[in-house]
Amino acid sequence: VDGSSGRVSLGSEFPVTQLIYTLGLKDVFGSDFSYHRLIVKVDDITKFPPFGYTYWALEAGKTWNAVPYPLLNVHLGNESYFYDYSAFNLMNYYEFVSDQYASLFVVHHFDGFFLDKVPLMRKLKWREVISMRGVYGSLSQANKDLLVSPDEINSLSAKPYVEMGFGVENIFKFLRFDFLYRTTYRDYPGISKFGIRM
């Protein structure tokens, strides 16, 4: 059973580190597979005055034993028009699956470093943002052999998936628009090479 939880930070000078371990036991509550999964995530905000601040997150995970793809790491895509901090915003749903992976997410908020130098923009208080998100992973042959439709599921063993973007936030004090560009795996059918998210 996969659940979600929330946390409230009381403040720390160190990056936040999370370890998530999942144990699957065959024949327990109707389970058909035994497996182990470990995910490690480290994230923090680093300030670069007067150039703003950067939020970054590193994550790595691995699943042991052969299991069907829903029990592996199905990298979270986003086919909506709304920006999702936890997803790859130009990746399709169920486009990539890995049994071991490492990912990096970086977003830098310039806090008006450039736009405040333009008189009209300074009055609007719009803020510039740039971002990069990437993931590199692999899928073992044992897990590929369990796929019902192997041609519809892709692994990341050839190269990392990377998307980059720039945007403007604080529009009318609450809106943000991001212009995103997919830099790898651009020849796959049915994908978006670029897009706008809000």
Side-chain angles (χ1 to χ4, degrees), residues 2-131:
D2 194 13
S4 61
S5 62
R7 62 182 173 83
V8 176
S9 175
L10 300 178
S12 171
E13 60 183 291
F14 302 105
V16 175
T17 302
Q18 301 176 62
L19 274 75
I20 303 166
Y21 174 73
T22 304
L23 172 65
L25 297 173
K26 188 175 181 179
D27 299 324
V28 176
F29 299 113
S31 174
D32 294 322
F33 297 92
S34 293
Y35 66 96
H36 305 270
R37 179 167 58 227
L38 179 65
I39 297 173
V40 180
K41 181 178 180 181
V42 180
D43 67 302
D44 199 7
I45 294 174
T46 306
K47 296 180 180 178
F48 296 98
F51 303 105
Y53 63 95
T54 299
Y55 169 78
W56 58 268
L58 281 167
E59 183 176 315
K62 182 176 176 63
T63 301
W64 288 268
N65 295 354
V67 292
Y69 81 89
L71 296 177
L72 299 172
N73 186 268
V74 181
H75 300 291
L76 188 58
N78 178 21
E79 296 181 40
S80 77
Y81 293 104
F82 298 98
Y83 189 88
D84 187 341
Y85 253 88
S86 62
F88 296 92
N89 285 281
L90 291 180
M91 183 186 289
N92 289 343
Y93 300 132
Y94 302 100
E95 186 177 351
F96 294 102
V97 175
S98 301
D99 50 32
Q100 58 182 355
Y101 71 95
S103 67
L104 171 65
F105 174 50
V106 178
V107 58
H108 184 76
H109 300 261
F110 283 99
D111 264 356
F113 179 77
F114 297 106
L115 292 180
D116 277 355
K117 292 176 173 52
V118 181
L120 178 60
M121 294 291 104
R122 184 166 53 245
K123 288 186 178 182
L124 291 173
K125 297 188 182 299
W126 289 5
R127 300 291 181 249
E128 325 87 330
V129 183
I130 58 172
S131 63

Side-chain angles (χ1 to χ4, degrees), residues 76-84 87-93 95-96 133 161-165 178-186 188 190-197:
L76 188 58
N78 178 21
E79 296 181 40
S80 77
Y81 293 104
F82 298 98
Y83 189 88
D84 187 341
F88 296 92
N89 285 281
L90 291 180
M91 183 186 289
N92 289 343
Y93 300 132
E95 186 177 351
F96 294 102
R133 183 185 291 272
Y161 171 90
V162 178
E163 61 186 39
M164 306 184 80
D178 283 82
F179 303 88
L180 301 167
Y181 180 78
R182 178 169 169 153
T183 66
T184 57
Y185 296 99
R186 292 169 52 82
Y188 281 21
I191 59 99
S192 298
K193 296 180 181 179
F194 58 86
I196 299 175
R197 300 290 185 268

